[in-house]
Amino acid sequence: MAAPRPPQVADPEAVKRHPVLFRAVRQRLNPRLRRTDITVTDDLAVKRAVKAASLGNAMEWFDFGIYSYLAVTLGRVFFPSGSDTTQLLSSFATFAVAFLVRPLGGMFFGPMGDRIGRKKVLALTMIMMAVGTFAIGLIPSHEAIGLWAPALLILFRMLQGFSTGGEYGGASTFIAEYAPDKRRGFFGSFLEFGTLAGYVGAAGLVTALYALLDDAAMDSWGWRVPFLVAGPLGLVGLYLRMRLDETPAFQRLDGGTGARATEAADAVETTTKGDLAKIFREYWPTLILCVCLVGAYNITDYMLLSYMPTYLSDELGYSETHGLLILLGVMVCLMLVISRVGTLSDRYGRKPLLMAGMTGFLLLSLPAFLLIRQGGVPAVTAGMLMLGLSLVCMLGTMSAALPALFPTQVRYGSLSVGYNLSASLFGGTTPLVITALIGWTGSNLMPAFYAMGAALVGIIAVACMKETAQKPLDGSPPSVETEEEAAELCAAQTPDPKF
């Protein structure tokens, strides 16, 4: 971010001699908002945008989640040689491959979204994810075509990862730019509601298959079913996204509203530029903050929502069905409270909720894993709920906090780059790193220590970020729900008459 110029202090004597001139200068530098500068949101349009973005996000994460829940089976199908641990490591390494290309996807789709619009890019990412997932369901096994099987698996996982690189940054930007300032946390929480719904759908389908089929049937054809379902789901998501209008913030930025903003809005608006060099050159401090926030959030997220069923089955000896059923119950509980967390972040601020989640992981990870290690459904459920309630404080807040870090003209690009760099380095590697740490140390408490380290970094990052609740997005004029709010906002800047 470019260093701000030091404020110029006027000579007090000159101010006394020329009061009218200096008053005009102050008004020029800080123009008052006019009614035409303020966006009054359409409630139906906001709900339609939130629904489409959230459902599309749910389908993206359904596609992405089924791989992690089928990790043990996919290890046997595509990496048959070696021990169980080697198969699992190979499967998780392939899981991580998708995250290696996510920054490339973010760098490609993010600036494109700032240049041609959020809607078109989100439709494109939906198509690519559906194609990549559907294609995985058609790959012959290692037994049929040898090394070509894992090679094709890696290829289509990379296609999934490339498309996902433009998904979260675009979907969170889309909702943030549609939502009114005072309810951005509430509406943003539905994006992560969609993420949980996608994981629940994936876990539910995989659990049903494990319950209905034996290992031979799962290895033969059962594992393909969730991947093949992705095709029709992708068409549904594409239809929903193509029916939407572009966000009001981008329309105003791009001049698509048909009316130019006045000076107050011009002070915060520029033309759209998808310039990666500019993002890294001018916004690198905010990018680092974004990477730290997302890294802490993603490590805890993937540890609980992706890795935990494998941990329960591979390290503690539970069946795949047992672990998935417990996780399903926990995720449903999180879905019931996540919108409340979003509302709390609107009322009390993003920082208190994020800090509560990070502190929860720092203090509760070790007790939670000690409970889980005790075994038994009550203890395992209690331990996972402790982690889940900490995670939901971040899930319900992060999708409103992250887009507010960057100005409108580079929001999609900057958030996509920062989010996916962090997801690549920390999120997708979480199952692989934890599995390797457990194998190296012999301690099945390593997930707790890893989460605690991530939470400590997250606490420092939250302490460094600015509070953005109930404030306009940087680079966009205020957004309100009613004409009355707009009038009150304008009136608040009008000085009292002197009689």
Side-chain angles (χ1 to χ4, degrees), residues 64-72 74 92 95 199 305-307 310:
F64 221 71
I66 52 180
Y67 186 95
S68 59
Y69 297 139
L70 287 167
V72 175
L74 293 175
F92 278 140
F95 179 80
Y199 276 127
L305 301 185
S306 295
Y307 174 72
T310 302

Side-chain angles (χ1 to χ4, degrees), residues 171-187:
S172 58
T173 294
F174 199 83
I175 292 179
E177 291 182 350
Y178 253 107
D181 296 333
K182 292 184 178 180
R183 301 187 70 196
R184 190 170 297 116
F186 170 74
F187 286 117

Side-chain angles (χ1 to χ4, degrees), residues 69 72 88 92 303-304 306-328 330 368-369 371-377 379-384 387 434-435 438 444 447:
Y69 297 139
V72 175
L88 190 60
F92 278 140
M303 183 193 70
L304 180 61
S306 295
Y307 174 72
M308 191 58 72
T310 302
Y311 177 80
L312 292 175
S313 61
D314 199 56
E315 302 298 332
L316 303 183
Y318 289 93
S319 68
E320 286 89 347
T321 306
H322 196 152
L324 282 171
L325 281 173
I326 295 174
L327 180 60
L328 267 172
V330 171
F369 272 91
L371 264 178
I372 292 170
R373 199 170 64 169
Q374 293 299 314
V377 173
V380 173
T381 304
M384 290 177 67
L387 299 173
I434 292 176
T435 302
I438 291 174
N444 53 23

Side-chain angles (χ1 to χ4, degrees), residues 99-304:
F99 287 82
L100 296 180
V101 297
R102 277 183 65 166
L104 299 179
M107 292 177 188
F108 178 79
F109 290 116
M112 183 188 294
D114 287 326
R115 193 163 53 246
I116 68 173
R118 286 68 163 117
K119 169 187 168 180
K120 295 175 183 177
V121 175
L122 284 173
L124 181 57
T125 61
M126 188 83 256
I127 295 171
M128 293 180 64
M129 173 59 84
V131 169
T133 309
F134 187 80
I136 290 176
L138 300 176
I139 300 174
S141 67
H142 185 281
E143 185 179 359
I145 59 172
L147 292 177
W148 282 105
L152 288 172
L153 178 64
I154 291 171
L155 174 65
F156 292 125
R157 283 291 295 165
M158 291 175 70
L159 179 61
Q160 280 186 319
F162 190 76
S163 68
T164 307
E167 172 61 25
Y168 184 89
S172 58
T173 294
F174 199 83
I175 292 179
E177 291 182 350
Y178 253 107
D181 296 333
K182 292 184 178 180
R183 301 187 70 196
R184 190 170 297 116
F186 170 74
F187 286 117
S189 67
F190 283 95
L191 183 67
E192 296 296 354
F193 181 92
T195 299
L196 289 172
Y199 276 127
V200 166
L205 181 55
V206 173
T207 300
L209 288 170
Y210 276 132
L212 295 173
L213 303 176
D214 57 22
D215 286 347
M218 280 296 295
D219 292 356
S220 175
W221 59 271
W223 67 270
R224 299 181 186 276
V225 174
F227 292 101
L228 297 177
V229 168
L233 288 180
L235 293 177
V236 172
L238 179 63
Y239 171 75
L240 290 171
R241 289 186 170 179
M242 290 303 294
R243 292 181 62 216
L244 294 173
D245 294 326
E246 191 53 80
T247 68
F250 182 82
Q251 286 183 11
R252 185 181 285 270
L253 186 69
D254 197 41
T257 57
R260 287 299 303 154
T262 55
E263 289 181 356
D266 283 336
V268 292
E269 292 181 2
T270 59
T271 57
T272 51
K273 293 182 180 179
D275 185 357
L276 279 175
K278 177 181 178 181
I279 290 173
F280 282 105
R281 183 175 63 251
E282 298 185 15
Y283 299 97
W284 63 266
T286 314
L287 276 176
I288 292 174
L289 178 62
C290 180
V291 167
C292 292
L293 285 169
V294 174
Y297 158 62
N298 266 340
I299 285 174
T300 52
D301 188 330
Y302 284 102
M303 183 193 70
L304 180 61

Side-chain angles (χ1 to χ4, degrees), residues 21-62:
L21 174 62
F22 279 93
R23 189 182 306 118
V25 170
R26 286 195 299 271
Q27 290 177 350
R28 176 70 178 174
L29 292 176
N30 300 288
R32 294 193 184 100
L33 284 169
R34 298 178 185 176
R35 170 58 194 86
T36 53
D37 299 329
I38 301 171
T39 300
V40 178
T41 61
D42 180 343
D43 189 56
L44 290 177
V46 173
K47 291 178 179 178
R48 191 164 60 245
V50 170
K51 183 188 301 182
S54 300
L55 286 175
N57 198 55
M59 292 167 191
E60 288 264 358
W61 290 106
F62 171 86

